[in-house]
Amino acid sequence: MHLVVADEAQKTERDRHTYAAWGSPLTVEQFLQREQRLRAHPWSRDTLRTWLLCDGSGRVLTSCETFRTPSYLRGPDGQYTRGDSFVIASVFTEPALRGHGHATRLMDLVATELERTQPGAQAAVLYSDVGARIYRRSGYQEAPAWDWHLPVGQGDAGLQVDSLLEDADVPAALARMRRPDVPFYLWPEAAQVDWHLERERIYAELLRRPRPKACGAVVNASTALWAMMARYGELVVLMLDARSEEDAAALLEAAGAQAHKAGLARVVLWEEAGTMPWVARLPEARREAREGSLPMVRPLREGLPAAADIPFARALWA
């Protein structure tokens, strides 16, 4: 078995296989369009690689993608070293080839290749939809994963905030957000956040449904960014930097109003330690164990903290 970096024809061929896992409710052709557009996005063009595990005859046994994203590791002097972490996505083995350890072998080989070829590599990260067991075999450890489900509202989306944000406002909004004060964290660039908005644009077009009028909001010094997940009828909060309980309530109320106007059923916020007590006191807020997208981390260098001590905003997901 050997590792191959896929070319464009091989990527398209894998798309036809992976449709069964991630294509619904799109048609096959719509899913192929989705994948082509996402790969053409600037963040993907700069950071994406598709990996194939092949046997001696060249047959593909399993595949995955990696996206490079900035990460920061604090040293003994208190200063952060900028590095790269690699988000592993779309791990897929065809049903007839499962049960032979191919995915585990792929995870091991990709991590080894990243360690060998990427001098600034700090961690490999994935968001498992199949639990933790299969990836623990390859040295990944999971972090707790909880969601807050918030109701949509019928109020004025801009009533309690200073301004609503459009797609072009993302770079400035991201720049004003506070970085986590922790030993190690990943931090998305504006192109990565816009990749989530590109997914929103694609699904809005293909499913013929309206997009939310705003992708975030600002109140005082606090900021939120969000995106529609049309497949699930949700507005997901990508990042939330709330400086007070009142600001958190105002930003999430604005998100709920945007969700209502777009015909979405709920707002979903990934739990982070800094805002959890404030969110818990919101009317009708409901905390649920996350069913998928379980954050897992494999260190690619020494000195990283345990996965449970690393914050994961929804914007980091791929």
Side-chain angles (χ1 to χ4, degrees):
M1 292 185 288
H2 59 283
L3 196 61
V4 172
V5 177
D7 60 26
E8 291 305 315
Q10 289 170 319
K11 293 174 187 177
T12 300
E13 178 62 24
R14 289 309 289 170
D15 293 341
R16 294 190 179 277
H17 290 289
T18 61
Y19 170 79
W22 299 298
S24 179
L26 304 178
T27 66
V28 173
E29 291 307 313
Q30 286 175 328
F31 181 70
L32 296 179
Q33 290 179 46
R34 188 199 86 158
E35 292 299 281
Q36 290 168 1
R37 284 182 58 175
L38 287 175
R39 284 198 288 268
H41 187 271
W43 185 57
S44 300
R45 290 202 311 267
D46 185 46
T47 71
L48 170 64
R49 298 178 88 181
T50 300
W51 304 86
L52 310 174
L53 180 67
C54 299
D55 65 13
S57 68
R59 179 180 60 156
V60 177
L61 303 174
T62 186
S63 61
C64 73
E65 299 172 335
T66 57
F67 293 86
R68 187 182 68 253
T69 193
S71 55
Y72 299 84
L73 178 62
R74 189 161 60 197
D77 60 357
Q79 300 301 308
Y80 284 99
T81 298
R82 157 74 188 266
D84 292 318
S85 287
F86 295 85
V87 181
I88 296 178
S90 304
V91 181
F92 183 78
T93 307
E94 294 169 62
L97 297 172
R98 293 173 187 169
H100 301 285
H102 297 323
T104 299
R105 181 64 174 156
L106 175 65
M107 294 295 97
D108 291 341
L109 289 175
V110 168
T112 299
E113 183 69 7
L114 294 173
E115 290 175 324
R116 185 180 71 84
T117 63
Q118 304 295 321
Q122 293 178 333
V125 176
L126 57 84
Y127 300 92
S128 175
D129 290 330
V130 294
R133 182 179 60 87
I134 187 173
Y135 297 113
R136 285 182 189 143
R137 301 172 190 161
S138 296
Y140 286 85
Q141 59 179 220
E142 67 270 24
W146 295 87
D147 289 341
W148 284 93
H149 288 204
L150 307 171
V152 301
Q154 300 184 26
D156 185 339
L159 188 61
Q160 303 298 326
V161 297
D162 297 332
S163 61
L164 295 171
L165 302 177
E166 299 181 354
D167 296 4
D169 299 319
V170 166
L174 194 59
R176 62 185 261 135
M177 288 184 165
R178 294 173 298 178
R179 303 291 183 96
D181 184 16
V182 294
F184 175 75
Y185 66 93
L186 291 79
W187 191 257
E189 295 179 330
Q192 183 172 353
V193 176
D194 189 74
W195 179 85
H196 290 277
L197 297 177
E198 179 67 1
R199 291 176 63 93
E200 177 183 291
R201 297 178 198 116
I202 292 168
Y203 276 97
E205 177 183 322
L206 294 179
L207 299 181
R208 300 182 183 275
R209 63 173 305 153
R211 293 183 64 201
K213 299 297 183 183
C215 67
V218 170
V219 59
N220 300 317
S222 301
T223 308
L225 292 168
W226 56 67
M228 175 177 70
M229 289 290 287
R231 291 179 66 193
Y232 307 111
E234 299 174 346
L235 189 76
V236 295
V237 179
L238 298 175
M239 303 187 75
L240 176 64
D241 175 22
R243 313 295 176 95
S244 71
E245 184 169 354
E246 293 74 20
D247 287 359
L251 291 169
L252 294 172
E253 181 180 346
Q258 285 289 308
H260 173 74
K261 290 183 178 180
L264 304 174
R266 58 189 165 271
V267 174
V268 178
L269 171 70
W270 281 20
E271 180 173 293
E272 295 185 66
T275 53
M276 191 269 283
W278 296 342
V279 176
R281 289 192 283 270
L282 292 175
E284 300 182 62
R286 190 174 73 254
R287 186 177 188 247
E288 296 188 1
R290 191 176 312 145
E291 293 184 358
S293 298
L294 176 66
M296 301 191 72
V297 179
R298 171 173 169 159
L300 298 179
R301 58 155 295 168
E302 295 181 355
L304 265 68
D309 297 324
I310 301 172
F312 291 99
R314 180 59 172 72
L316 299 170
W317 173 91

